[in-house]
């Protein structure tokens, strides 16, 4: 993937249709403080030397660790989440995918929902986990996500929540094992890592005039290593399509496209190639970090992971040697389970998977690679060995695997490898947003969306310039339905009108319910995405690209939802500091 968004003409979000008041499927808002269970969670942020991939740099640690500690809570439980900022810079923390019903002041967007937490200050976030499933917290201030500020959140579903596991197997003992695996589900956080800090990357982007899509390593739960591939191997693994793009050049020694590729469309204006620091596009120094090892007791029959992409720029592909995965929830919502060998995951998305432990006792590589052009990877280990105290089961015990599903470029190793299809999932149980035909259009002239409470809103996101990368659009507050997508120009005044001409591009019967979704890259032509949500949560929120340099570059838009019913700041929040 080549990230060459023009920061100066960032007008990719086009609001076309805005539907008038209809009342459907009200979410019950539980005001903070009504629930009996309060969880206390404290996060102390410090700026320290750290070496997740074996190379020392400054990074943000949370209670001395990276990723931060996992926040686990039960559905409908409330949390008081205290952030102590001992960093030299201001910050704010966003709870990605958490709907913040009734608590918009805890959404963590500095300048919109709160003032930034200054160095030395503390801030108390308070919210209720209305929805179950996999989420994460991360910095929403400048590029701090890329300095390591992230950690998993898991909301245990209430007992009355219907699970889709019977669709995987009709064997009751297996379904019971899946329920048990879900109860013990564990985070698997994928991230991309650089040896420059986020501010150094930003300064280099501004000074050079280039977007910086390359990384130095990938991490699984904060662990990884730096590979320096042999140039001949890099050349050998470079696909014909990438070779055509490279015009006779090689990928660099970090297996990334050289900087002139980023500037191919010339959308940046003057480029200063001498302002590119070591390691940004090239400059490889191998280093060895730790390896994440999962020692699993195979008598449990199934294991569940919440795969969370906390990456700054990379879309990634994940797979486990010799095992398939049942994806059973995405972005904290169940789906009709889908059996795949490899999952492509956009930054900000969460895929929950069940893996059947039906192979011989051994260690199996869990692989993650860049889904784009760079050749960069990380490996964790799934070990069936029983005794976690046995030292031979710990460490870098990757059994030589003859049958990985993917190679280091993410390509399938055989025709039978099944990849996830972002567009193909069906929510469980089915949820149907209403068909709407009574519309009033609004324009995007002031780059804000302003709504009345209860309104249904369609947002059409267009990717109008050729050669653009795929973007990962994330909406704060409640989830949205993915009602349509396609290639070509969007030249309609509403979804209803578009559906008369291109009905096959829409699905109003079983659309996915997501908080992060892709609008496709435009190397093959312009693209668009149509999402729909109901305004149920008055407050100030944001919709933005989750690729960090794009967000830093301004690819964001404020959503002022339900302005007719904005809440008063409660007294407890006035003293949040
Ligand atoms: C590409 O890599 C090969 C193998 O290392 C090398 O012989 C060749 O000179 C390189 N080409 C360029 C344009 O740098
Ligand atoms: C290009 O970058 C170098 C290194 O940062 C700097 O010394 C030089 O002044 C820059 N040139 C221009 C034209 O800005
Ligand atoms: C990347 O994949 C290659 C090929 O499978 C492997 O040799 C190497 O150890 C992997 N690197 C990391 C950091 O996991
Ligand atoms: C359409 O909405 C307007 C108000 O926005 C309302 O006056 C009108 O009755 C609605 N028409 C239908 C058919 O629902
Ligand atoms: C906002 O609208 C939703 C949906 O109609 C409703 O459930 C909720 O009570 C409203 N909130 C306020 C503060 O009026
Ligand atoms: C624009 O929409 C019209 C129908 O409204 C269709 O006939 C036409 O082909 C579309 N043009 C493009 C460029 O997609
Ligand atoms: Cu983007």
């Amino acid at each position: 993937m080549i990230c060459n968004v023009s920061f100066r003409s960032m007008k990719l979000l086009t609001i076309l249709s805005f539907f008038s008041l209809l009342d459907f499927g009200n979410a019950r808002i539980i005001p903070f403080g009504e629930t009996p269970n309060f969880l206390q969670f404290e996060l102390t942020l410090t700026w320290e030397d750290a070496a997740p991939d074996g190379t020392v740099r400054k990074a943000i640690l949370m209670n001395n660790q990276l990723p931060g500690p996992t926040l686990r809570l039960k559905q409908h439980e409330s949390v008081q989440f205290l952030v102590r900022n001992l960093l030299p810079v201001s910050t704010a923390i966003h709870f990605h995918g958490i709907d913040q019903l009734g608590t918009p002041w805890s959404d963590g967007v500095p300048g919109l929902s709160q003032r930034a937490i200054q160095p030395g200050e503390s801030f108390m976030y308070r919210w209720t986990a209305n929805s179950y499933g996999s989420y994460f917290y991360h910095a929403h201030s400048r590029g701090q996500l890329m300095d390591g500020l992230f950690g998993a959140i898991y909301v245990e579903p209430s007992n009355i929540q219907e699970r889709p596991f019977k669709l995987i197997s009709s064997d009751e003992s297996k379904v019971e094992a899946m329920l048990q695996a879900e109860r013990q589900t564990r985070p698997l956080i994928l991230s991309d890592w650089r040896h420059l800090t986020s501010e150094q990357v930003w300064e280099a982007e501004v000074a050079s005039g280039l977007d910086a899509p390359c990384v130095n390593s990938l991490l699984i739960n904060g662990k990884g290593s730096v590979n320096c591939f042999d140039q001949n191997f890099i050349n050998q693994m470079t696909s014909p399509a990438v070779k055509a793009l490279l015009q006779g050049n090689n990928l660099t020694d970090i297996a990334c496209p050289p900087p002139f590729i980023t500037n191919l469309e010339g959308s940046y204006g003057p480029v200063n190639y001498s302002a590119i620091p070591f390691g940004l596009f090239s400059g490889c120094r191998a280093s060895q970090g730790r390896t994440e090892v999962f020692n699993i007791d195979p008598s449990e029959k199934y294991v569940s992971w919440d795969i969370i992409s906390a990456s700054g720029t990379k879309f990634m592909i994940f797979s486990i040697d010799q095992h398939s995965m049942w994806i059973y929830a995405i972005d904290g919502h169940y789906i009709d389970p889908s059996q795949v060998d490899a999952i492509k995951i956009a930054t900000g998305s969460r895929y929950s998977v069940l893996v059947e432990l039906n192979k011989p006792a051994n260690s199996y590589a869990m692989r993650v690679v860049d889904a784009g052009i760079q050749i960069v990877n990380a490996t964790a280990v799934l070990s069936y060995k029983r005794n976690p105290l046995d030292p031979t089961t710990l460490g870098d015990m990757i059994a030589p695997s003859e049958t990985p599903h993917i190679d280091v470029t993410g390509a399938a190793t055989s025709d039978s490898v099944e990849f996830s299809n972002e567009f193909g999932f069906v929510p469980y149980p089915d949820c149907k947003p209403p068909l709407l035909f009574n519309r009033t259009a609004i324009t995007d002239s002031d780059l804000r969306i302003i709504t009345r409470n209860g309104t249904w809103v369609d947002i059409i996101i267009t990717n109008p310039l050729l050669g653009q990368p795929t973007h990962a659009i994330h909406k704060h507050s409640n989830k949205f339905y993915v009602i349509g997508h396609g290639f070509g120009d969007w030249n309609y005044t509403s979804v209803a009108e578009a559906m008369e001409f291109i009905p096959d591009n829409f699905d109003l019967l079983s659309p996915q319910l997501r908080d992060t979704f892709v609008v496709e890259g435009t190397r093959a032509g312009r693209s668009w995405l149509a999402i729909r949500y109901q305004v149920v949560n008055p407050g100030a929120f944001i919709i933005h690209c989750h690729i960090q340099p794009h967000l830093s570059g301004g690819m964001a838009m404020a959503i002022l939802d339900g302005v007719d019913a904005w809440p008063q700041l409660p007294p407890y929040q006035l003293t949040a500091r």
Side-chain angles (χ1 to χ4, degrees):
M1 171 210 328
I2 299 175
C3 295
N4 58 354
V5 161
S6 162
F7 293 159
R8 274 170 285 107
S9 60
M10 194 72 71
K11 201 182 166 197
L12 299 171
L13 300 172
T14 306
I15 313 308
L16 276 158
S17 309
F18 177 48
F19 295 98
S20 48
L21 287 167
L22 281 172
D23 220 9
F24 282 93
N26 293 347
R28 187 168 103 80
I29 297 179
I30 301 175
F32 182 83
E34 256 186 32
T35 49
N37 300 317
F38 282 87
L39 209 83
Q40 310 291 329
F41 197 85
E42 281 190 25
L43 209 62
T44 299
L45 308 178
T46 53
W47 185 239
E48 315 265 6
D49 283 344
D53 64 3
T55 296
V56 178
R57 56 157 278 189
K58 285 278 189 244
I60 297 175
L61 298 192
M62 294 134 284
N63 303 356
N64 278 318
Q65 63 186 82
L66 185 174
T70 299
L71 167 60
R72 271 190 92 100
L73 64 176
K74 294 186 165 60
Q75 197 175 358
H76 307 306
E77 201 171 30
S78 297
V79 62
Q80 307 210 37
F81 192 109
L82 181 70
V83 176
R84 286 183 217 281
N85 181 13
L86 302 184
L87 302 173
V89 292
S90 67
T91 191
I93 290 187
H94 170 58
F95 304 92
H96 185 111
I98 297 293
D99 56 21
Q100 299 293 355
L101 282 179
T103 53
W105 39 80
S106 287
D107 196 45
V109 182
L112 187 67
S113 48
Q114 69 171 102
R115 291 195 187 91
I117 312 169
Q118 296 302 315
E121 278 189 355
S122 296
F123 188 87
M124 182 72 91
Y125 293 95
R126 299 175 165 95
W127 48 266
T128 302
N130 299 292
S131 305
Y132 65 86
S134 171
Y135 301 91
F136 67 118
Y137 59 85
H138 66 75
H140 216 294
S141 182
R142 300 184 67 88
Q144 291 164 7
L145 170 74
M146 298 199 299
D147 295 321
L149 205 177
F150 51 78
I153 299 174
Y154 182 69
V155 180
E156 205 177 294
S158 76
N159 292 334
I160 57 166
Q161 189 67 55
E162 200 181 329
R163 270 76 165 175
F165 302 148
K166 285 197 282 290
L167 300 178
I168 298 177
S169 172
S170 53
D171 178 337
E172 274 182 30
S173 70
K174 284 193 169 184
V175 171
E176 187 46 51
M178 292 179 216
L179 282 166
Q180 185 57 29
E182 188 197 35
R183 270 177 227 125
Q184 300 173 35
T185 190
R186 49 201 97 202
L188 197 147
I189 307 182
L190 307 180
S191 60
D192 48 10
W193 193 245
R194 287 166 155 139
H195 295 157
L196 297 172
T197 66
S198 66
E199 289 298 324
Q200 288 171 328
V201 171
W202 178 246
E203 280 160 21
E205 287 184 321
V206 172
S208 68
L210 288 166
D211 199 7
C214 315
V215 301
N216 302 104
S217 61
L218 302 182
L219 306 177
I220 298 177
N221 286 347
K223 296 170 189 162
S225 292
V226 181
N227 275 334
C228 293
F229 295 114
D230 178 76
Q231 188 70 47
N232 292 321
F233 176 75
I234 294 173
N235 298 349
Q236 181 196 325
M237 297 308 283
T238 306
S239 70
V242 173
K243 284 209 167 104
L245 206 66
L246 290 171
Q247 302 169 8
N249 294 273
N250 294 330
L251 291 179
T252 68
D253 62 346
I254 61 170
C256 204
F260 85 91
I261 297 287
T262 308
N263 194 42
L264 266 189
E265 276 76 26
S267 53
Y268 290 92
V271 170
N272 184 350
Y273 289 101
S274 48
I276 299 173
F278 181 87
L280 198 66
F281 285 88
S282 62
C284 197
R285 278 186 200 135
S287 60
Q288 184 79 39
R290 289 188 298 156
T291 302
E292 180 75 339
V293 179
F294 297 96
N295 279 291
I296 309 287
D297 180 347
S299 70
E300 290 174 2
K301 290 189 203 152
Y302 283 90
V303 58
S304 167
W305 279 284
D306 295 305
I307 306 167
I308 299 168
S309 175
S311 77
T313 59
K314 295 297 190 190
F315 286 49
M316 294 187 245
I317 299 175
F318 175 80
S319 86
I320 307 175
D321 284 7
Q322 299 178 46
H323 290 73
S324 65
M325 298 175 274
W326 283 98
I327 305 169
Y328 67 89
I330 302 179
D331 290 1
H333 197 85
Y334 291 126
I335 59 163
D336 286 356
S338 171
Q339 191 175 22
V340 300
D341 304 307
I343 293 175
K344 183 172 171 185
I345 183 164
T347 166
S349 273
R350 288 90 57 212
Y351 279 62
S352 301
V353 299
L354 279 164
V355 174
E356 191 172 4
L357 301 162
N358 55 2
K359 294 291 182 307
N362 206 336
S363 291
Y364 297 91
M366 306 170 83
R367 301 171 192 269
V368 57
V369 305
D370 178 18
I373 294 177
Q374 190 177 3
I375 302 173
V376 57
N377 60 322
T379 313
V381 178
L382 161 59
S383 176
Y384 276 33
K385 307 237 168 72
R386 271 158 186 275
N387 183 358
L389 297 176
D390 176 354
T392 64
T393 67
L394 301 172
D396 307 326
M397 280 255 321
I398 303 171
S401 173
E402 273 110 59
T403 52
H405 295 300
I406 54 169
D407 68 17
V408 282
T409 70
T413 51
S414 82
D415 289 346
S416 63
V417 175
E418 285 288 334
F419 283 79
S420 62
N421 171 11
E422 179 89 0
F423 297 96
F425 300 107
V426 175
Y428 179 90
D430 253 15
C431 39
K432 295 179 176 41
L435 294 146
L436 299 166
F437 293 100
N438 189 12
R439 59 177 182 82
T440 39
I442 59 167
T443 66
D444 60 349
S445 54
D446 63 357
L447 287 177
R448 285 179 303 171
I449 304 170
I450 302 176
T451 66
R452 294 176 66 80
N453 193 36
T455 311
W456 284 88
V457 180
D458 284 357
I459 301 178
I460 314 302
I461 297 134
T462 62
N463 205 356
L465 304 172
L466 290 179
Q468 285 279 308
T470 302
H471 300 282
I473 306 298
H474 173 53
K475 179 186 162 298
H476 292 206
S477 189
N478 57 333
K479 294 183 173 77
F480 53 78
Y481 294 99
V482 180
I483 59 171
H485 63 93
F487 284 100
D489 289 320
W490 175 276
N491 67 349
Y492 312 98
T493 58
S494 72
V495 165
E497 185 188 318
M499 286 179 74
E500 290 173 25
F501 292 94
I502 46 170
D504 293 346
N505 287 67
F506 292 90
D507 180 5
L508 289 176
L509 294 179
S510 56
Q512 294 188 62
L513 198 54
R514 302 285 294 263
D515 54 58
T516 309
F517 204 80
V518 297
V519 56
E520 293 199 270
T522 56
R523 242 182 273 153
R526 289 183 267 272
S527 66
W528 56 269
L529 169 71
I531 63 174
R532 173 174 294 180
Y533 76 100
Q534 189 187 20
V535 180
V536 296
N537 187 26
F541 299 102
I542 187 173
I543 183 167
H544 63 88
C545 181
H546 213 271
I547 296 175
Q548 185 57 50
H550 298 184
L551 172 58
S552 296
M555 196 173 168
M557 191 167 183
I559 302 182
L560 308 183
D561 263 344
V563 288
D564 55 316
W566 267 21
Q568 291 287 315
L569 204 60
Y572 68 73
Q573 202 58 35
L574 287 168
T575 56
R577 271 152 210 274

